[in-house]
Amino acid sequence: AQSVTQPDIHITVSEGASLELRCNYSYGATPYLFWYVQSPGQGLQLLLKYFSGDTLVQGIKGFEAEFKRSQSSFNLRKPSVHWSDAAEYFCAVHGNKLVFGAGTILRVKS
Amino acid sequence: EAQVTQNPRYLITVTGKKLTVTCSQNMNHEYMSWYRQDPGLGLRQIYYSMNVEVTDKGDVPEGYKVSRKEKRNFPLILESPSPNQTSLYFCASSPKTGHGVNYGYTFGSGTRLTVV
């Protein structure tokens, strides 16, 4: 069975600082990987996805993520965080079905 | 505008009173799914549908029903709601691929249900 672990429940960063949100997955083969963002009171919005090819994928809002097979990881990064990035972020893996992690809440301090 | 529309956004009901949460998408997507979101648990799939008249259980189907009579609609039915079904519910849709892979959902704005 596939699973997703997001080790950090909360992360606080200063505006303008870099960001990395961690995601580890468990699946027997190469999965399809996603990051979603949920702003307060909103549904989830797809940030980026990895299916194959280049292991560094670019998404919307200046986010990128890197697939590392050896570490079973798909960490989300952004070089400079804006206050509007404060939200909850979900990593998801699609093996035989789509499974979400428990989420990481990002707080941005000015 | 391409979107998934859920109604209602907020609902407070009493134990045992049947309710339906509607979901409609205008993107001609084959896949539709219902999730519930609870603190610390992320999103858990309730039911999904791969196409019209094709539905299947997700991870937490107990106490829920769905139907897919038309491609655009996928209502979630709680025949006898209980307080443990108090949650935030999301409907989502995605196009189908030849490999059956989910290319990324479009989510509705959510329905916050409270059962007292």
Side-chain angles (χ1 to χ4, degrees):
Chain A
Q2 66 218 45
S3 64
V4 180
T5 301
Q6 293 181 246
D8 304 303
I9 299 174
H10 297 99
I11 282 186
T12 301
V13 300
S14 298
E15 191 169 16
S18 63
L19 170 71
E20 183 170 36
L21 301 181
R22 297 183 290 164
C23 172
N24 293 97
Y25 69 88
S26 173
Y27 184 63
T30 300
Y32 301 97
L33 297 159
F34 305 83
W35 274 99
Y36 286 85
V37 60
Q38 183 181 29
S39 298
Q42 301 297 314
L44 280 73
Q45 180 183 21
L46 181 65
L47 279 176
L48 50 77
K49 59 193 177 212
Y50 171 77
F51 284 176
S52 65
D54 193 345
T55 56
L56 184 64
V57 294
Q58 302 297 320
I60 61 171
K61 305 186 181 189
F63 285 92
E64 65 178 27
E66 186 171 13
F67 170 57
K68 292 185 177 180
R69 185 191 307 274
S70 61
Q71 299 177 19
S72 297
S73 69
F74 188 56
N75 294 348
L76 182 71
R77 300 195 295 249
K78 187 170 185 178
S80 178
V81 169
H82 188 262
W83 64 266
S84 61
D85 293 323
E88 189 163 15
Y89 292 80
F90 291 93
C91 182
V93 57
H94 190 293
N96 54 5
K97 63 177 181 179
L98 188 63
V99 174
F100 287 84
T104 297
I105 296 172
L106 172 64
R107 299 190 179 109
V108 180
K109 59 182 180 181
S110 55
Chain B
E1 179 188 354
Q3 60 185 359
V4 176
T5 303
Q6 291 178 233
N7 281 296
R9 287 294 306 275
Y10 301 92
L11 179 59
I12 301 174
T13 190
V14 296
T15 299
K17 184 176 182 181
K18 180 180 178 180
L19 67 91
T20 299
V21 184
T22 64
C23 174
S24 180
Q25 52 96 1
N26 61 2
M27 295 166 283
N28 202 37
H29 284 169
E30 286 85 2
Y31 278 111
M32 295 187 77
S33 183
W34 276 102
Y35 287 86
R36 61 178 289 174
Q37 183 180 17
D38 301 289
L41 297 176
L43 280 84
R44 295 178 293 168
Q45 191 178 50
I46 303 170
Y47 269 94
Y48 65 95
S49 170
M50 296 178 71
N51 215 324
V52 176
E53 302 290 3
V54 181
T55 63
D56 209 345
K57 296 177 180 178
D59 297 315
V60 288
E62 294 76 22
Y64 304 95
K65 286 174 58 178
V66 293
S67 69
R68 188 92 182 273
K69 294 185 172 63
E70 310 163 274
K71 199 172 192 178
R72 63 183 292 122
N73 296 323
F74 191 45
L76 179 69
I77 303 156
L78 285 73
E79 294 272 2
S80 183
S82 62
N84 65 12
Q85 293 178 296
T86 293
S87 187
L88 179 59
Y89 291 86
F90 287 102
C91 180
S93 72
S94 77
K96 180 182 175 183
T97 73
H99 300 290
V101 173
N102 183 313
Y103 263 2
Y105 278 124
T106 299
F107 279 83
S109 298
T111 296
R112 186 166 292 282
L113 172 65
T114 302
V115 184
V116 298

